[in-house]
Amino acid sequence: MTTTAITNIGSLVTNDPALGDGSPLGLIQDAAVVIDGETVAWVGPADKAPAADESFDARGRAVIPGFVDSHSHLVFAGDRTAEFNARMSGRSYSAGGIRTTVAATRAASDAELEANLLRHLDEARRQGTTTFETKSGYGLTVADEARALRIAAAHTEEVTYLGAHIVSPDYAEDPAGYVDLVTGEMLTACAPYARWVDVFCEKGAFDGDQARAILTAGAAAGLIPRVHANQLSYGPGVQLAVELEAASADHCTHLTDADVDALAQAADTTVATLLPGAEFSTRAQWPDARRLIDAGATVALSTDCNPGSSYTSSMPFCIALAVRDMRMTPDEALWSATAGGARALRRTDVGVVTPGARADLALLDAPSHVHLAYRPGVPLVSAVWQRGVRAV
C-alpha cells in the first residue's frame, strides 16, 4: 500500500491535545503527516517524519482536519430564488416554502436528484468538507422518501430519515394520519437506507408528543435520534433531544436557561449543532454559541445546506459567521466544524488528524486556520485528501 508524507506543514490542527500543544486543537508547528492507504499512520514534527513512498510539500501552509458537515438537506430538486429575493427585499412571499421543493422533488427523476446531490457534494468537497450527513424530507410519500434515502446512501454513510420534515400536503387535514404513516409504512421502507431519524419539532411542523412518537418509533427500528430543535421559537425540542439521548439537537436558536443547562449536562451525549447559514439567509436571531460553550455544552457547526433557508455548502463561510455573529473564537469555530461535527455523528475516526483516523485533510492557502475567519469569502482551501486520496 502506498504511503504519502505531507511535509513542511507550517501549522497542523490535529484536534488531539495529546499530540500537540495541549489545546483543544492540538496544534503542531513545523509538522508532517504520513498517510498509509485510507488512514493517518503518523503525525508529528517534520524533522522526525518517517520515510514514505511519496511526498507533498505544504510549503509552510496550514493543514486542518476535513470539515464534518453533520446537517444538510441535499436530495432535492427545484429552485427557491424568488422566495429568497422577496424575503431580502422586504416583501411577503407565499409560494409555499418547503412545499414548493416537495413538489419539484416528487416530479424529478432519480437521475436528476442524484446529479444535483453529486454537484453539491463536489461543491462542498472543494471547500474542505470530507464527511457529509444528508437527509430526506422533500418527498413526504413512502416511495419518494425511500428513493431519496437510497440515492443519498449511495454517496454517504451518514443518512437521515426525515419523513417528519413537515406534515405532507396530502395529509393537511389529517396530521395524526401522517404521523401514523411516518412511524409505520414509511419508516419500514426507509430504515434500511438510514442511520438516523430526525423530526422538525416546531410550531407549524410537529409538536412534542408527535415528535416523541416519531423518534421512539425510529429508535425501535434501529435508527439513532436527532432533532430539529428550537429554531423558530421556544419549544420542547431540546428537552426531548436530551431525554431521548439524541446525538444532536440542531439549530438551538431560542433557548431557555433550562435548555442550556440540559445541553450542558448532556454534553457527552447530545451535541448542540448550530447552523448560522440559516440565520444569515433569513435575517433571524443568531444562536448564542458563547452561552452554550461557557455553560459546558458540546457545540458543532454545520451548513444546513438546503434550497430554502440556507443555500450554502461552505463550512468556511459558516465558521466566519460563527466568529463574527455568534461570539465564537476562531479556534472554537474550527473545532466545532470538525471534531464537533464528528461528535454530532458519533464518529471518532473523522474530524481529527491522529494515527488510526481516516485520512481526511484540507490544506489552506494560509499560514494558520485563523484565516478562515480572518479572510471571509476567500477560497482558502487549496487541496483536500479524502480517505487518503487527493480529491481536490
Side-chain angles (χ1 to χ4, degrees):
M1 193 172 290
T2 301
T3 57
T4 301
I6 304 174
T7 63
N8 195 21
I9 300 170
S11 175
L12 172 66
V13 174
T14 69
N15 284 336
D16 184 344
L19 280 178
D21 60 358
S23 71
L25 292 189
L27 284 168
I28 304 175
Q29 305 298 327
D30 301 318
V33 174
V34 177
I35 298 170
D36 187 355
E38 294 188 354
T39 61
V40 174
W42 185 90
V43 176
D47 60 1
K48 292 182 170 59
D53 299 319
E54 299 175 355
S55 66
F56 178 93
D57 187 351
R59 295 189 287 115
R61 292 172 290 177
V63 171
I64 62 173
F67 297 122
V68 180
D69 192 347
S70 61
H71 183 128
S72 71
H73 305 252
L74 299 181
V75 185
F76 69 89
D79 182 272
R80 285 159 65 183
T81 303
E83 175 184 336
F84 177 80
N85 189 39
R87 187 164 62 235
M88 294 298 106
S89 302
R91 300 191 303 271
S92 61
Y93 186 82
S94 57
I98 291 173
R99 291 171 181 81
T100 303
T101 302
V102 169
T105 302
R106 289 179 179 181
S109 68
D110 288 12
E112 288 168 333
L113 292 177
E114 183 172 44
N116 197 45
L117 170 66
L118 290 172
R119 179 171 64 87
H120 286 96
L121 291 179
D122 179 65
E123 181 180 272
R125 190 178 295 108
R126 285 185 277 111
Q127 297 172 89
T129 300
T130 51
T131 302
F132 312 88
E133 180 272 358
T134 197
K135 311 176 192 294
S136 65
Y138 290 126
L140 309 186
T141 67
V142 172
D144 284 306
E145 286 295 294
R147 74 165 177 154
L149 294 172
R150 173 175 49 78
I151 290 168
H155 301 287
T156 177
E157 63 268 52
E158 301 299 343
V159 179
T160 301
Y161 168 47
L162 184 60
H165 200 179
I166 59 168
V167 174
S168 169
D170 308 322
Y171 285 79
E173 304 304 319
D174 185 17
Y178 187 65
V179 172
D180 288 343
L181 181 69
V182 168
T183 57
E185 181 185 356
M186 187 183 287
L187 174 61
T188 299
C190 291
Y193 301 108
R195 183 183 179 205
W196 310 95
V197 59
D198 199 348
V199 60
F200 189 14
C201 184
E202 187 63 67
K203 292 176 183 176
F206 298 90
D207 64 25
D209 290 339
Q210 292 169 326
R212 183 190 305 279
I214 291 161
L215 295 172
T216 54
L223 305 181
I224 308 169
R226 49 201 321 114
V227 185
H228 280 62
N230 300 52
Q231 176 187 4
L232 305 177
S233 61
Y234 296 99
V238 163
Q239 297 291 338
L240 184 62
V242 171
E243 175 194 334
L244 298 181
E245 298 187 345
S248 183
D250 296 39
H251 288 290
C252 294
T253 307
H254 298 274
L255 301 179
T256 64
D257 288 344
D259 292 332
V260 175
D261 289 344
L263 288 166
Q265 291 296 317
D268 292 334
T269 305
T270 302
V271 173
T273 298
L274 309 183
L275 310 169
E279 279 69 39
F280 176 86
S281 296
T282 59
R283 289 181 176 157
Q285 172 183 319
W286 296 101
D288 192 343
R290 180 84 272 129
R291 182 185 179 198
L292 286 162
I293 292 169
D294 289 349
T298 300
V299 171
L301 284 176
S302 189
T303 64
D304 192 20
C305 186
N306 74 84
S309 61
S310 183
Y311 201 10
T312 179
S313 58
S314 174
M315 290 290 275
F317 175 63
C318 291
I319 286 172
L321 291 179
V323 171
R324 167 62 179 81
D325 292 304
M326 288 161 46
R327 301 197 294 160
M328 298 181 84
T329 69
D331 285 12
E332 289 167 344
L334 177 60
W335 187 94
S336 294
T338 51
R343 294 271 192 97
L345 294 174
R346 294 188 174 166
R347 298 278 295 270
T348 58
D349 61 328
V350 297
V352 294
V353 181
T354 188
R358 203 166 80 178
D360 292 350
L361 306 141
L363 173 71
L364 304 182
D365 193 13
S368 165
H369 65 279
V370 177
H371 280 235
L372 291 165
Y374 180 45
R375 303 194 69 207
V378 177
L380 294 178
V381 175
S382 59
V384 175
W385 287 262
Q386 188 173 30
R387 295 182 181 270
V389 175
R390 177 80 182 271
V392 173

